[in-house]
Amino acid sequence: MKANSIYTGIWSTIQLISPGLGGLVMSLLSIQYVFLIDIGTAITGVLLLATIIIPMREKLQSTENTKEGLLQGLHYIMNSKALRNSILLYTIFSLLVVPASQLTPLLASKNIGDEVWILSVVETAFSIGALVVSLFMAYKELHISHFKLIGLSAVIFGTTMILLLPVHGIMVFAVFMMVMGVGSPLYYTPLITYIQENTEGNYMGRTFSYVDLFSSLATPLGIVVFGPLANVNILLPFAIPGVILILLGFWVRKKSE
C-alpha cells in the first residue's frame, strides 16, 4: 500500500508541475526543440529502466505464445472471484469518473470562464488534493479495509461532482476540485494493492495487462456515453454518474463489513 501510495504521489506531482513546465518551455522554445525534449526524456527513461534488475520468475510454459498467454491470463482472472470482481469494480469506477477527469474544464468554462488561468487552477487543485492524500498514505499505515477506502472514494467523487454543478466562483470550485482529488488515491491505491495481493507472481504481468486494458477502454467508452449528454445539458454527465457513484460507494462499504 505504501509503495503504491508513493507511486500515486509521484503521478500527482507530475500532473501538478508538468502543465506549468510545458507552458514555460513552449513560451521560450520553438516547437522542434520542444519535441527534442520529448525525445530526450524518452531516452532518459529507457536508460533508467536499463539499470533496474528484476528477478527472473519461472515461466509456466516456456513454449507458450502470446495468444496462449493472454487466454491463460483471462482464464486465471475469471476463475478468481476476488480478481474478477475487483477488476470489474475498477472498470466501472474508471467509467463513472470520466466526466470528472475529462469534462470538468468544460463545466468550469461554462460556469466561471474560459480563461487559461482558470482551467489551470482547476487542474492544479485536483492534483494538490491527490498529492496530499498520497503522501499521507505513504507515511501513515491505515488500518482500514481496502474496500472501505474505495467506497469512501466513490462517495467523495459522486458528491463533489454534484456539488460542482451550481458553483460560479473560482475559489469554491477549486476547493471542491481539491476534495475530488482526495478521492483519487483512495480508490486507485487500495484497489491496485488488493489486486496485487490476490495475484500469483507468475500471473502478475498478465493480470495487470487486463487491468490496464479495461481501465483504458473505460475512458473512450465514457466519452461516447457522457459526451453527447454534455451537448444536451452539461449537468447530466455530472449528475447521473455522481448519483451512481454515491450509491456504489455505500454498497461497496456495506459489502466490506
Side-chain angles (χ1 to χ4, degrees):
M1 179 75 91
K2 289 188 175 183
N4 286 327
S5 297
I6 293 171
Y7 170 78
T8 308
I10 294 172
W11 176 84
S12 300
T13 303
I14 293 171
Q15 295 296 109
L16 180 63
I17 66 176
S18 59
L21 287 177
L24 178 63
V25 168
M26 294 186 70
S27 65
L28 296 176
L29 303 175
S30 57
I31 190 64
Q32 58 264 38
Y33 292 108
V34 174
F35 282 128
L36 280 176
I37 293 175
D38 202 22
I39 295 172
T41 53
I43 293 173
T44 303
V46 170
L47 293 176
L48 288 172
L49 285 173
T51 66
I52 299 174
I53 300 175
I54 301 176
M56 294 295 294
R57 295 185 180 275
E58 182 182 352
K59 293 184 179 179
L60 294 179
Q61 289 184 4
S62 58
T63 59
E64 72 176 24
N65 57 37
T66 304
K67 182 179 178 180
E68 290 174 343
L70 289 173
L71 291 176
Q72 284 187 2
L74 182 60
H75 182 73
Y76 176 75
I77 291 170
M78 296 306 295
N79 284 338
S80 170
K81 182 179 179 181
L83 290 178
R84 185 175 66 247
N85 292 344
S86 57
I87 293 175
L88 177 61
L89 176 61
Y90 186 44
T91 305
I92 294 173
F93 208 118
S94 300
L95 175 65
L96 292 175
V97 299
V98 164
S101 62
Q102 304 296 325
L103 299 179
T104 302
L106 178 62
L107 178 65
S109 65
K110 286 183 175 293
N111 284 6
I112 305 171
D114 57 359
E115 291 87 348
V116 174
W117 71 269
I118 292 177
L119 302 181
S120 299
V121 168
V122 168
E123 296 298 325
T124 301
F126 181 92
S127 298
I128 290 174
L131 176 59
V132 170
V133 174
S134 296
L135 293 177
F136 177 79
M137 292 174 69
Y139 171 75
K140 180 76 172 178
E141 184 175 354
L142 299 179
H143 300 286
I144 305 173
S145 71
H146 295 326
F147 286 96
K148 283 189 177 181
L149 291 174
I150 296 166
L152 175 61
S153 173
V155 173
I156 290 174
F157 261 102
T159 303
T160 50
M161 286 172 67
I162 294 172
L163 292 177
L164 280 173
L165 297 177
V167 175
H168 291 276
I170 182 59
M171 292 303 297
V172 178
F173 202 100
V175 169
F176 281 141
M177 286 300 298
M178 192 178 299
V179 174
M180 185 185 292
V182 167
S184 181
L186 289 180
Y187 94 87
Y188 176 83
T189 305
L191 196 48
I192 292 299
T193 302
Y194 180 80
I195 294 173
Q196 290 172 333
E197 291 172 347
N198 287 273
T199 304
E200 297 176 28
N202 288 327
Y203 284 95
M204 192 71 71
R206 280 168 283 194
T207 298
F208 274 92
S209 294
Y210 281 102
V211 172
D212 291 339
L213 172 64
F214 292 131
S215 62
S216 299
L217 288 176
T219 298
L221 179 59
I223 292 296
V224 169
V225 173
F226 299 116
L229 289 177
N231 291 328
V232 177
N233 191 317
I234 190 62
L235 304 180
L236 295 177
F238 285 85
I240 294 175
V243 171
I244 297 174
L245 278 167
I246 292 173
L247 296 176
L248 177 65
F250 283 114
W251 180 80
V252 170
R253 286 181 64 85
K254 183 178 180 180
K255 285 290 185 179
S256 66
E257 293 177 353

